[in-house]
Amino acid sequence: DADVTQTPRNRITKTGKRIMLECSQTKGHDRMYWYRQDPGLGLRLIYYSFDVKDINKGEISDGYSVSRQAQAKFSLSLESAIPNQTALYFCATSDFTGNYGYTFGSGTRLTVV
Amino acid sequence: GENVEQHPSTLSVQEGDSAVIKCTYSDSASNYFPWYKQELGKGPQLIIDIRSNVGEKKDQRIAVTLNKTAKHFSLHITETQPEDSAVYFCAASPRSGYSTLTFGKGTMLLVSP
């Protein structure tokens, strides 16, 4: 089984719909992150959590919210999806120092029509 | 905050040639510099990293160099093979344990047989 599992892998949704992307990990890491990947723009940080009671906004948090349900679970929600949120979304984890590299999931490809 | 510039955005080489990808960073407090490889349909995977107390690190055909004075670091791949074709991301992180990785925009490397 993958260390970091993202569901769903692919999703098409309509403008205005609420959608949740889920992430679970078996690494035992305290820190979890949500990144968005767009062609030519690299990986941009949406939200991150250093432990279960900690939630922080990243570079591009507008239009998104997150929930850290447990050490192993971190979900990303789009309250009212819009077409420019069409992107590849990655969840990642790291240990408490953050300086031993991130472990990424396989990504969720989201299309908003 | 930290800003990471990565060049080139695309790089085409012949099998057996060397490939070099360069990154610059803005925050002199950054002390951790990982490189990630993203294959098609997968999440980024850590391939090598370097810390600010080291000038060069090598792992088989890949090496990373760091120039703290100039605030730039580079990935070197020797004897390239078709399976090296992927998108490569550099990243940087400040010294604080409460920091996150800032990624470059990525380099698409294509190795032709």
Side-chain angles (χ1 to χ4, degrees):
Chain A
D1 288 343
D3 292 326
V4 181
T5 302
Q6 292 184 235
T7 56
R9 287 298 309 275
N10 293 281
R11 180 74 180 266
I12 300 174
T13 192
K14 294 183 177 180
T15 298
K17 293 291 188 181
R18 184 180 188 273
I19 183 168
M20 179 182 290
L21 310 183
E22 298 187 347
C23 177
S24 63
Q25 53 114 346
T26 58
K27 299 285 290 185
H29 286 162
D30 288 321
R31 300 185 170 191
M32 299 187 74
Y33 312 82
W34 276 104
Y35 280 87
R36 167 177 172 162
Q37 183 177 14
D38 298 277
L41 297 180
L43 294 160
R44 294 182 292 166
L45 183 62
I46 306 172
Y47 270 96
Y48 61 102
S49 168
F50 283 167
D51 64 44
V52 175
K53 297 181 181 179
D54 177 73
I55 298 290
N56 303 281
K57 293 183 177 181
E59 178 186 359
I60 53 165
S61 60
D62 287 349
Y64 302 94
S65 63
V66 291
S67 174
R68 185 80 185 266
Q69 301 94 326
Q71 185 204 37
K73 296 184 182 296
F74 192 36
S75 59
L76 175 72
S77 293
L78 287 68
E79 298 300 327
S80 180
I82 56 177
N84 76 359
Q85 291 178 314
T86 293
L88 189 54
Y89 290 85
F90 286 103
C91 174
T93 73
S94 71
D95 70 3
F96 76 98
T97 68
N99 280 348
Y100 291 97
Y102 290 4
T103 300
F104 282 85
S106 297
T108 293
R109 183 168 296 281
L110 177 66
T111 303
V112 183
V113 297
Chain B
E2 176 65 277
N3 182 51
V4 177
E5 299 284 340
Q6 182 172 347
H7 299 281
S9 57
T10 59
L11 180 59
S12 293
V13 300
Q14 293 290 318
E15 183 177 0
D17 289 348
S18 295
V20 180
I21 302 171
K22 299 180 179 181
C23 290
T24 61
Y25 61 99
S26 62
D27 189 345
S28 57
S30 285
N31 71 336
Y32 176 65
F33 307 93
W35 285 88
Y36 289 82
K37 176 183 180 181
Q38 184 182 24
E39 297 176 336
L40 196 61
K42 298 183 179 180
Q45 282 196 306
L46 178 68
I47 56 172
I48 195 168
D49 57 13
I50 192 168
R51 301 179 192 284
S52 59
N53 60 345
V54 175
E56 182 174 359
K57 184 177 179 181
K58 189 174 181 179
D59 182 4
Q60 299 183 343
R61 293 187 299 107
I62 61 173
V64 58
T65 59
L66 172 65
N67 183 325
K68 289 187 293 182
T69 302
K71 289 192 282 189
H72 68 69
F73 56 113
S74 300
L75 178 71
H76 304 254
I77 306 175
T78 58
E79 301 174 16
T80 54
Q81 302 168 2
E83 52 265 39
D84 294 328
S85 296
V87 177
Y88 292 81
F89 293 99
C90 63
S93 175
R95 189 166 294 130
S96 167
Y98 294 95
S99 58
T100 60
L101 284 176
T102 299
F103 287 85
K105 289 181 167 51
T107 296
M108 180 175 289
L109 174 64
L110 177 61
V111 181
S112 303

